[in-house]
Each structure stands twice: as structure tokens, then as C-alpha cells.
Amino acid sequence: MPTDNRPNRQSTRLRSFDYGSAGAYFLTICAYQRECLFGEIIGGKMRLNVIGEIIEEEWQRTGEIRENVSIDQFVVMPNHFHGIIFIHDVGASRWDARPPGSENPTRACRRHAPTGLKSGGLGSIINHFKAAVTRHAKHPTPVWQRNYHDHVIRNERALAEIRDYVMNNPLRWELDRNYPGNM
């Protein structure tokens, strides 16, 4: 019997959880081999290069082209991306992301999406995002690692903590596990 030399990849997804259901998700998507492909941190601020700008544009576009998706806080880091995304039901959902800086960004309310809209699951949304970035970046090597990390955000407190983490991530770059000296 031939031996399969591929790595044994364990799923990080919650068993029996519907990733197409309405909810809030925190994502981390790493650059291929965690190379610093997206820019650099200078003085605690992320300075995007061309690929970093493409990532930012495509992420914002993700929320614009999908009626069932709202984009919340996100940050492009030198070798990874963090984002909060809300997937809404075709009807009313329990979450509506308010843009950063809005009157009360941690308050959730209802959003109504048009009826008849097919809701894409989280995996499909992320795959389309990664493909769009790769297509536009025209980088000679892969841009992204094969998978991504997700965390289901279950309440307002967790949402507020994750928003804070995302916003302040560039300030903590040298402490980040993805920082080149820490890997």
C-alpha cells in the first residue's frame, strides 16, 4: 500500500457548526510561508505596499458585492491579515456591523437583506477574497497559505475585545507570533 506523504491537516473548524449561518467571525489569513509580502510596520503604523493595498481594496469590495456580508474592523499586517466579518441571513439577522468610528460601534442591531439572495458560507467568501487578491497581485509565488484561521464571535464583549486587538495589532507587531523574529 503506498504511503501518503502529505501532512495530516486537522480542521480548525467547529464540528457541527454551520459556517453559512448568520453570525460574526474573526479571521486571520497568513501570507504564504509567512513571508512579509504586504508592507512593513514603521512607528507602530502599517505601511502597505502594492499587494497590501490590493488586500485592503479586495476586502472592502467583499462587503460591497455581497448583500449578506458586512465588513468590520480589519488590518493588513506585513505577513497576515485580520478581519471581522458578519454574515447575515437572507432575512433579519442578529448582527449588523457598524463601521469603525460610528456612534456606537459595539451595538448590534438588525439588518434586512433582500429576499431571494443566496447566502455564501464563510469558506466560499474567503476563497473568493484570496483568489481576487492573488489574481490582481500577479505575484510570482503564492500570496496566501492554504487555509485560514477563524473564530466565531459569540457576544458583544468578545466583539469589543477582538476589535481592540485588530485596531492595535500594528502597535504590538514585535510581540506578534507572526513577527519574523518570533516564528
Side-chain angles (χ1 to χ4, degrees), residues 20-34:
S21 65
Y25 304 90
F26 171 54
L27 307 167
T28 301
I29 310 172
C30 293
Y32 183 70
Q33 297 182 345
R34 295 194 185 178

Side-chain angles (χ1 to χ4, degrees), residues 31 35-53 55-56 74-82 166-173:
E35 290 183 49
C36 291
L37 300 175
F38 310 144
E40 60 185 325
I41 304 285
I42 299 173
K45 295 187 185 224
M46 181 62 188
R47 308 288 180 183
L48 299 175
N49 62 17
V50 173
I51 298 175
E53 289 173 356
I55 292 168
E56 190 172 81
F74 69 91
V75 65
V76 180
M77 296 293 289
N79 63 2
H80 64 284
F81 167 84
H82 290 301
V166 170
M167 285 187 319
N168 293 307
N169 204 243
L171 294 171
R172 298 189 284 250
W173 174 230

